[in-house]
Amino acid sequence: MYTKRLNRELSKMNQSLPPGISLHSAEDLVTWQMDLQVLDNNPIYANKTFRLNFKFSNSYPIEAPEVMFVRAVDREIPIHPHVYSNGVICLDLLSNGNGWSPVQSVESVCMSIQSMLTGNTKNERPEGDAQFVLAAGRSPRDIRFVYDDPTV
Amino acid sequence: MATKAEELRLQGNARFKLGDFAGAEKYYTQAIVKDSTNAALFTNRSLVRLKMNMYEAVINDCLKALELVPTSLKAYTNLGQAQLALGRPGEALSSSTTAYKLAIEQRSPSVASIAGTCMEAKKKRWEQMETRRIERECVLLREMTDIIEKEADTQVDKILRKGLLGDTAGFGGTAVCVLEEEVRQGARLKVKTLEDVFGKAEAERCMRREVPDYLIDTITFNIMSDPVITKSGHSYDRATLLDHIRRSPTDPLTRQPLYEKDLVPNLALRAACELFLKDNGWAVDW
């Protein structure tokens, strides 16, 4: 199921993608990279492009993909109260359990993250970023975040 | 007797787990000799024979198992696969559809894979029909071409005979060979037009290969085989939605609680999918 679904997503994305979202690489059906820009003039993200790394398991799309920001040439980790400096994103949508839904797609996840950045006004990292990054190593989908701020 | 058979069955299962299919088959056969009333022995042997590509033997085992237990899910499942492998998609579809219904009733985890066999059978059935249709059209084209050429032969024949008899009054002074060539050319043009018409129809048939969105499951992106509707009004293929519900009992779109008992078959959509697949078997791989 997952091969076909990913292939269809890929061919759809090759035809068209929303503004500010582009496919960087999809060489296999395990890892894809997407580039993301924030379109309005949000000063925190102006003139910057960010890279998202998607990792799929055999159970995709029943199971959520693993999605993180990654560093690369000219690509940094965006500053956001829900994005840790190691690229881990704290977003309900990306957590297995009741956050993820199999009707989501790579494209819709990119759009959600794009709008999460667009709406942000705080130029800061999550609380406890340093400790979190030190303790990291677990799969980001399995980290239990506390969603204490529904406005972001 | 039965305990001896059970012992042999367990030995067969052990061989099967090791991938020693021939060994497993022998044990199951010995077990059946001891006790020919246990359907599980036949379904086990049918599975191992399926792995060994002994499809006719699989069918025999499954039919025997079904005599003993008419609602054996495993027997219908293996039967469908063997029939598919033997190029009998119509029979395979009927067996797999029964297996699918039983799997739903028995809440078997193999629902999705059985649904896959059903789809494969539908595709194969369509491919057979397509092959037959193309053969029919080729025969028709050949027959029509023959008729045109025979008609031209008859006309040429007439012209040549008149020419020989010197009865060329109606020819308006045109040479016999020129008239002959005119007839031949007319016939070639007719044949070419005919081939164009046939070719165009075929090309159009291939061009229209797109599945309408409303027949597509938004989870697998496949055409649906057994759509069920949720409270929010959206339809999904039952097998995949069950997979999702097992993990998270929520409506994929609204995230409201959703349980297996809430799912209602969408019969109209199912009929639409079936109708579409009947004429468009390629859609299974689309």
Side-chain angles (χ1 to χ4, degrees), chain A residues 1 4-5 63 98-99 101, chain B residues 219 222 247 252 255 284 286:
Chain A
M1 145 154 126
K4 178 157 181 185
R5 152 104 186 208
E63 225 178 70
N98 291 345
S101 156
Chain B
I219 296 177
N222 272 331
R247 193 170 295 252
R255 292 166 199 279
V284 170
W286 190 67

Side-chain angles (χ1 to χ4, degrees), chain B residues 33-245:
Chain B
V33 171
K34 299 275 178 215
D35 176 10
S36 60
T37 60
N38 181 355
L41 296 176
F42 288 99
T43 52
N44 284 14
R45 191 170 69 176
S46 74
L47 182 62
V48 89
R49 287 178 162 178
L50 200 57
K51 301 272 184 203
M52 296 165 81
N53 300 342
M54 298 161 65
Y55 301 118
E56 295 287 0
V58 174
I59 292 179
N60 288 338
D61 279 347
C62 292
L63 293 178
K64 188 73 196 158
L66 287 172
E67 267 173 39
L68 297 166
V69 180
T71 57
S72 166
L73 168 60
K74 283 181 184 167
Y76 275 114
T77 307
N78 297 343
L79 182 60
Q81 288 191 13
Q83 287 163 331
L84 191 60
L86 286 171
R88 300 185 210 153
E91 293 169 31
L93 183 58
S94 137
S95 309
S96 305
T97 307
T98 311
Y100 181 80
K101 283 179 194 147
L102 291 169
I104 299 275
E105 278 170 25
Q106 300 172 16
R107 298 165 160 260
S108 155
S110 46
V111 168
S113 83
I114 297 170
T117 312
C118 288
M119 286 301 243
E120 202 57 31
K122 283 180 190 169
K123 188 183 82 181
K124 283 272 151 48
R125 192 181 55 174
W126 173 79
E127 280 174 355
Q128 276 190 355
M129 273 165 34
E130 275 291 280
T131 312
R132 267 182 238 138
R133 176 185 65 79
I134 290 167
E135 273 170 19
R136 260 198 324 272
E137 287 179 7
C138 283
V139 170
L140 179 62
L141 182 61
R142 209 159 46 230
E143 279 177 13
M144 309 265 286
T145 309
D146 280 353
I147 290 172
I148 291 168
E149 276 164 1
K150 264 193 203 123
E151 171 67 21
D153 284 346
T154 319
Q155 279 189 35
V156 167
D157 218 38
K158 262 187 210 157
I159 291 165
L160 289 179
R161 222 175 303 149
K162 279 189 178 177
L164 276 178
L165 293 170
D167 178 17
T168 53
F171 291 2
T174 321
V176 168
C177 62
V178 176
L179 287 172
E180 181 187 350
E181 183 50 29
E182 269 175 19
V183 171
R184 292 286 178 210
Q185 206 165 346
R188 276 198 294 273
L189 187 66
K190 278 185 192 168
V191 170
K192 190 173 176 316
T193 310
L194 196 61
E195 283 169 356
D196 281 353
V197 169
F198 271 81
K200 211 174 138 203
E202 190 58 35
E204 272 176 10
R205 209 171 266 132
C206 292
M207 288 240 306
R208 286 193 310 258
R209 292 203 165 172
E210 205 152 301
V211 185
D213 272 348
Y214 54 85
L215 303 180
I216 297 281
D217 172 55
T218 47
I219 296 177
T220 55
F221 291 12
N222 272 331
I223 185 162
M224 291 184 266
S225 56
D226 181 16
V228 287
I229 193 160
T230 67
K231 281 183 268 182
S232 66
H234 289 270
S235 293
Y236 304 88
D237 219 353
R238 186 192 298 267
T240 23
L241 191 58
L242 285 178
D243 257 358
H244 163 69
I245 287 180

